[in-house]
Amino acid sequence: MANNKDFVKDSYMGAFKWIHLSKPFAFNSMEGKSVPVEPNTAGAKYSISWTLTAEEGAAFEAKCKEHFKARKAEDKKIKTDFGAVHGLKKNDDSTWSVTASRKSVNAKGEMAGVPVMNEYQDPMADLDLWDGSVGTAVFSMYPAPNPSSKKWGISLNLLKVQITEAVRGAEDSDFVKVERPQPKDPFGLPAAEAAKTEEVEYDEIPF
């Protein structure tokens, strides 16, 4: 059973990316990527990500390592050295990507969504959010083993999210909008003269 000391609460405030809060995702080995799935699918998780600068990412990793070191000193089941922060990745441009996630089914077999609220702290109904949405993510850091490498590290469990500035896609967002060309004047008037003609009121036209 997890010790309360295992969990350290932290938060991030800023712009988000890769927002998967409306439906959980799971890795599909056939497609080689994570895809939306039903909540009861094995490995299904809700998640949200953000970017840290080189300095911020290094400081966050150091904080996670410090927590791991403190828990390993007291928890005998942690038998390996620090492996990694699960959900933290250093990018080619020296920035860091952070992903906090939450399983869609908890240990008791119950559905477990992520509470999401709007800027008024009311439950947010429309969770179809795009990259660039702004808000706060609250998560906890806790020691956990990597199922593949068997090495222990720190996992980031998503607790709740507040969205203060939502970015959404329009129904026609998949299409390119081209400005409609101005219609040519059938009388061949110069643009300035044509504009003057359009300004003439009907009661000023002498019939």
Side-chain angles (χ1 to χ4, degrees):
M1 180 178 291
N3 188 314
N4 286 337
K5 293 182 179 179
D6 287 345
F7 300 91
V8 172
K9 186 181 291 186
D10 203 348
S11 64
Y12 163 83
M13 180 183 294
F16 296 113
K17 61 181 181 180
W18 310 335
I19 306 170
H20 299 150
L21 297 175
S22 61
K23 200 168 187 178
F25 275 57
F27 184 76
N28 186 308
S29 57
M30 296 292 291
E31 298 187 31
K33 63 179 182 179
S34 293
V35 298
V37 295
E38 294 302 318
N40 58 356
T41 303
K45 295 180 180 180
Y46 297 97
S47 65
I48 194 168
S49 304
W50 58 90
T51 301
L52 298 178
T53 64
E55 295 75 16
E56 292 169 340
F60 181 70
E61 184 182 44
K63 182 193 295 187
C64 292
K65 287 182 176 180
E66 183 179 349
H67 178 51
F68 177 86
K69 182 178 180 181
R71 295 310 307 135
K72 183 181 179 182
E74 297 185 11
D75 194 340
K76 294 183 179 180
K77 73 174 180 288
I78 303 177
K79 299 182 181 298
T80 71
D81 293 331
F82 178 81
V85 180
H86 312 141
L88 179 65
K89 177 185 177 183
K90 191 170 185 179
N91 303 315
D92 294 337
D93 61 358
S94 296
T95 62
W96 299 70
S97 291
V98 186
T99 299
S101 60
R102 182 174 185 169
K103 293 180 180 179
S104 55
V105 179
N106 62 24
K108 297 180 181 180
E110 303 167 336
M111 297 298 174
V114 177
V116 183
M117 63 184 71
N118 60 21
E119 65 271 32
Y120 307 111
Q121 297 189 12
D122 296 322
M124 181 171 278
D126 185 358
L127 299 181
D128 185 17
L129 302 166
W130 285 38
D131 290 3
S133 294
V134 176
T136 301
V138 180
F139 58 96
S140 61
M141 306 181 295
Y142 67 99
N146 184 312
S148 300
S149 67
K150 307 302 181 184
K151 295 195 71 173
W152 282 71
I154 291 293
S155 288
L156 309 176
N157 183 45
L158 184 59
L159 300 177
K160 55 186 177 180
V161 175
Q162 180 183 32
I163 300 296
T164 54
E165 297 178 32
V167 176
R168 306 185 190 280
E171 293 182 359
D172 59 354
S173 59
D174 292 330
F175 301 100
V176 176
K177 182 177 180 180
V178 178
E179 292 298 326
R180 187 186 303 276
Q182 293 297 322
K184 294 181 179 180
D185 178 54
F187 302 103
L189 293 175
E193 294 298 324
K196 290 180 181 178
T197 303
E198 292 176 357
E199 294 174 358
V200 176
E201 296 292 338
Y202 286 111
D203 57 4
E204 295 178 356
I205 300 177
F207 290 100

